[in-house]
Amino acid sequence: MTSIDQAVINEAAERLRTAAEGRVPCAPVRDLLGTEDMEAAYRVQQLLTAWRLNAGSVVTGRKIGLTSSAVQAQLGVDQPDFGFLFGDMDVSGGDVHMVRLLQPKAEAEIAFVLSDDLDDPDLGPADVRAAVAHAAPALEIVDSRVADWDISLTDTVADNASSGLYVLGDARLRLDEFEPRATTMRMYVNDVRVSEGNGAACLGDPLNALLWLARTAHALGEPLRAGQVVLSGALGPMARVAAGDRVHAEISGLGTVSATFTDKDSA
């Protein structure tokens, strides 16, 4: 159990919220939380989530982070994490407006849309597979409120797993039509290949990542629900993006997904 008191949790959450609202990256919060206290980091995340819900946001799913060894190496961490997805994070079908982001990077993923609740303490692989209505190709636009992406595991967990926005491609395939572990991925920025990987790079199988999340969410008292979107975690390294960039990912057997970044006002 964490020994960090609520006042410190509040201070860390307020630092991250101020960075997000003011669009000025902040110092890491590990000076307050340390680098290993996951419980404290998730308490900060929960507080930020509560503030967002109180402001009218709606939870539409979860994102799994740090499932790829390549991304773990990029950030110097060694285990997955998760954050919440909100309705206004879905920017499928339109431009991605840089005004909503601070230090964006893109990564290609598989999105799972659930047909059933995953509310059981004894979930197994067959349970999560059966609960997937369909899969879709996805780009997650990760972001960090921490300056220069200078993050430890507690920094990214507290910061809603460095969430930003996400884009879903048009394909919708059932798991009897598409096997996540067998897929390969290539991602391009402005037609230059910047990342490649495969389903096995995501905890050995993206469905393993979904199982990890389902068990973790249940243990925390907030199980995954039917209709929610779950982003599997990256299939390969993430890449920086800037205004004017077009990102395109090809996920074999599933389809393609693209996004164009613009510095035009989203209003």
Side-chain angles (χ1 to χ4, degrees):
M1 179 176 292
T2 181
S3 61
I4 296 177
D5 65 32
Q6 189 61 42
V8 176
I9 299 297
N10 294 348
E11 183 179 352
E14 186 60 40
R15 182 184 298 178
L16 292 166
R17 180 166 73 165
T18 298
E21 293 178 352
R23 301 196 68 249
V24 177
C26 63
V29 294
R30 59 182 176 269
D31 63 319
L32 300 170
L33 306 179
T35 60
E36 299 180 357
D37 194 333
M38 294 288 286
E39 182 180 345
Y42 277 114
R43 282 174 60 195
V44 174
Q45 183 190 116
Q46 289 164 358
L47 182 54
L48 288 166
T49 297
W51 287 343
R52 197 159 176 169
L53 293 174
N54 288 338
S57 294
V58 176
V59 170
T60 54
R62 305 286 207 287
K63 59 150 291 181
I64 312 171
L66 307 180
T67 55
S68 162
S69 59
V71 174
Q72 289 180 0
Q74 281 183 305
L75 298 183
V77 299
D78 61 1
Q79 58 184 296
D81 66 354
F82 77 89
F84 285 85
L85 299 180
F86 299 92
D88 62 356
M89 291 170 63
D90 183 354
V91 292
S92 306
D95 290 342
V96 178
H97 294 274
M98 296 296 290
V99 71
R100 299 188 59 188
L101 301 161
L102 294 178
Q103 307 170 99
K105 301 181 181 184
E107 52 190 28
E109 309 193 3
I110 297 168
F112 296 114
V113 179
L114 301 180
S115 59
D116 299 289
D117 294 348
L118 286 170
D119 188 8
D120 188 313
D122 299 314
L123 290 166
D127 300 306
V128 295
R129 178 178 282 273
V132 174
H134 59 259
L139 292 173
E140 185 183 0
I141 316 305
V142 293
D143 202 5
S144 180
R145 272 50 65 178
V146 176
D148 300 319
W149 278 88
D150 178 18
I151 59 174
S152 68
L153 184 57
T154 50
D155 293 305
T156 186
V157 167
D159 191 23
N160 199 33
S162 300
S163 63
L165 307 171
Y166 67 95
V167 179
L168 301 183
D170 293 334
R172 302 287 186 272
L173 293 181
R174 302 185 309 273
L175 294 186
D176 61 357
E177 302 173 296
F178 166 73
E179 186 56 52
R181 187 181 187 280
T183 194
T184 58
M185 177 279 294
R186 293 179 177 177
M187 187 175 74
Y188 303 81
V189 175
N190 303 325
D191 298 321
V192 176
R193 189 189 303 176
V194 295
S195 179
E196 57 187 316
N198 53 57
C202 182
L203 290 187
D205 184 334
L207 289 171
N208 290 341
L210 178 57
L211 177 59
W212 173 85
L213 175 65
R215 288 172 170 170
T216 302
H218 183 275
L220 293 173
E222 297 180 282
L224 301 177
R225 297 298 184 187
Q228 290 187 336
V229 177
V230 176
L231 300 182
S232 68
L235 304 180
M238 56 189 175
R240 290 185 180 275
V241 290
D245 286 343
R246 182 178 184 273
V247 178
H248 172 79
E250 302 167 350
I251 300 176
S252 68
L254 185 56
T256 63
V257 56
S258 301
T260 299
F261 291 76
T262 178
D263 58 3
K264 294 179 181 178
D265 195 320
S266 60

